[in-house]
Amino acid sequence: MTDSPIASVDLVHIALPTRREHKWTGLTEPIGGYVLVKMTDRDGRIGWGEAPALKDWGGEFGRYFGESPGTTMQVIEAYLAPAVTGALPGDIIDLHARMDRIIKGFPYAKAAVEFAAWDLAGKQCGLPVHRLLGGAARKTIPVTHSIGLLGFEEAEREVAKVVAEGIRTIKIKVGVDPERDVEMVKRIRDTVGPKTTLCVDANQGYATPGEAIRTFRKMEHCELKYFEQPVEGIERLAEVARAIDAPVMADESAWNAHDVIQIVEKRAAQIVSIYTTKPGGLFKAMEVAAVCRAAGIICNVNGSVETGIGNLANIQLAAAAPAVVLSCVVPVSTPVEFLGERVGGIYYKDDLIAAPMRLVDGAIVLPDGPGMGIAADEAKIAKYAVKR
């Protein structure tokens, strides 16, 4: 192992072309316009991180707020990069202390810097990040494919193809209009049959707990695995959880370990969707997972449809956190050279990693290369870079 300090932190704003439009309730801009962190140590090794920054993505009632590529880059350039220069990549506690001292908040910017440090630390010691996090609780990560807010016919065509490719869980975005939502769920169930797992995600879209409860009761005959974030607010989420039989999943209400404590106190959810980014990185995401496990809450890993750079962090977390037992809403990151006609888990026309993630029986095989597991493709990063 080489203890080589961080020498430089550079940024690349990229825009990856999407396979099709992918939206959810409240989103007003395209996915894929994100910020990459390139961290170099004094020996010339490089680690990569990503901030899937979206201005529309935040927590309940303004408790947490969106980050755009512009704000993320400003925060990293002005504050975080100078703060972490000279730190050892593997000293993650020190890295977070440095970042938190210099500026409050901005978890996506901090997560991107931290991912690059984990990647660099793994490369320095020749180990994959999941080993640094404690080891792999599982070696394959089942994938949930999200159809977003599509029209009926397009959704039916897509889920039929996805299931034929071996994906076993479909997430249906709802929260737009109750009648549309009920019809969509029925059509998807009729298309995929009884063996495919379905779940619904409202992204806080229902106006009241009552509307959410009434809508779910019209869907529940379609055998739904869980009801994700039907309304805004932990207390209002708890109202829905008390009224329906299926588990409620907290997403926008669950950003960090303290939020999970409040969810447990209110009995607001039986499932928490963990992100690598919302708490501010892998170290704090593992804290979220530990609190969930202690409370008997089960988890999946979710995200903001990252490119392969950020999605590798998702996969390392999903492997290392014992509380993560559910299928994960993550892309199957695949460069165009390996893509073919596949649709399941594919949100972009190309990707920024040098090799594809391996999908076997609907699950990603955990990559075991040093650092985040698969090398970045710097030529692709240059190709999709946005000129500043």
Side-chain angles (χ1 to χ4, degrees):
M1 178 174 180
T2 302
D3 281 339
S4 182
I6 298 165
S8 64
V9 176
D10 299 299
L11 301 178
V12 186
H13 180 194
I14 59 96
L16 205 55
T18 56
R19 178 178 64 81
R20 59 156 172 79
E21 184 181 57
H22 185 73
K23 294 190 70 174
W24 55 83
T25 303
L27 185 67
T28 62
E29 62 181 26
I31 59 172
Y34 298 151
V35 177
L36 303 184
V37 170
K38 180 182 181 181
M39 180 179 289
T40 308
D41 70 12
R42 288 183 188 168
D43 294 331
R45 295 183 190 85
I46 294 170
W48 288 92
E50 177 182 324
L54 292 166
K55 67 178 178 56
D56 303 317
W57 178 249
E60 56 188 35
F61 303 118
R63 191 174 190 175
Y64 309 103
F65 50 87
E67 296 176 43
S68 69
T71 58
T72 296
M73 295 177 81
Q74 170 67 15
V75 166
I76 294 174
E77 288 177 335
Y79 301 107
L80 301 184
V84 304
T85 299
L88 293 174
D91 284 353
I92 300 296
I93 292 173
D94 175 56
L95 192 87
H96 277 288
R98 288 170 178 246
M99 293 193 293
D100 290 343
R101 275 197 302 267
I102 197 69
I103 191 169
K104 302 299 182 188
F106 298 99
Y108 277 67
K110 291 175 178 176
V113 173
E114 191 230 51
F115 298 159
W118 280 113
D119 189 32
L120 193 48
K123 290 170 179 174
Q124 286 182 349
C125 66
L127 292 173
V129 168
H130 62 264
R131 290 279 300 278
L132 304 182
L133 293 172
R138 57 180 174 175
K139 294 292 184 73
T140 58
I141 315 302
V143 171
T144 294
H145 179 85
S146 174
I147 61 170
L149 293 174
L150 295 180
F152 294 130
E153 290 78 14
E154 186 179 3
E156 288 168 332
R157 287 193 299 271
E158 181 153 311
V159 297
K161 183 161 178 49
V162 164
V163 170
E165 293 173 0
I167 298 289
R168 296 170 184 170
T169 305
I170 305 290
K171 176 192 272 194
I172 306 166
K173 290 289 191 179
V174 294
V176 179
D177 171 74
E179 289 187 11
R180 173 261 177 205
D181 296 345
V182 171
E183 178 67 14
M184 178 64 80
V185 171
K186 180 182 180 303
R187 286 189 180 216
I188 299 301
R189 175 54 79 198
D190 289 345
T191 300
V192 301
K195 293 184 179 179
T196 300
T197 299
L198 299 183
C199 49
V200 291
D201 179 10
N203 290 110
Q204 309 184 119
Y206 294 118
T208 65
E211 182 180 64
I213 293 162
R214 286 193 302 273
T215 304
F216 187 82
R217 285 176 176 163
K218 294 177 182 178
M219 300 173 178
E220 62 186 348
H221 68 281
C222 292
E223 297 295 325
L224 299 172
K225 181 81 172 178
Y226 56 77
F227 195 13
E228 183 174 349
Q229 199 69 46
V231 291
E232 186 171 12
I234 289 175
E235 296 82 1
R236 299 163 87 238
L237 204 62
E239 288 186 51
V240 180
R242 286 193 295 267
I244 67 173
D245 292 333
V248 166
M249 174 187 279
D251 182 348
E252 284 89 342
S253 291
W255 279 60
N256 54 41
H258 182 70
D259 292 342
V260 174
I261 291 171
Q262 293 185 317
I263 287 166
V264 172
E265 289 174 343
K266 300 289 185 182
R267 298 185 179 182
Q270 297 175 43
I271 307 172
V272 164
S273 186
I274 305 179
Y275 284 57
T276 57
T277 44
K278 290 193 301 186
L282 284 168
F283 182 81
K284 294 183 178 180
M286 290 293 285
E287 290 183 334
V288 175
V291 173
C292 287
R293 193 178 188 206
I297 289 175
I298 60 174
C299 305
N300 76 346
V301 170
N302 206 332
S304 302
V305 202
E306 291 86 347
T307 78
I309 302 293
N311 194 33
L312 283 168
N314 291 335
I315 301 306
Q316 298 293 330
L317 174 64
V324 177
V325 298
L326 296 174
S327 178
C328 295
V329 191
V330 294
V332 183
S333 304
T334 307
V336 65
E337 297 86 349
F338 306 91
L339 192 53
E341 299 299 319
R342 286 195 300 110
V343 168
I346 304 298
Y347 302 92
Y348 298 109
K349 294 179 180 178
D350 200 357
D351 217 298
L352 308 176
I353 51 178
M357 292 183 176
R358 288 180 55 217
L359 188 72
V360 178
D361 294 330
I364 293 170
V365 177
L366 176 63
D368 58 4
M372 288 294 181
I374 301 175
D377 186 332
E378 295 202 38
K380 289 283 183 72
I381 291 169
K383 176 180 179 179
Y384 295 111
V386 177
K387 289 191 168 118
R388 298 176 67 179

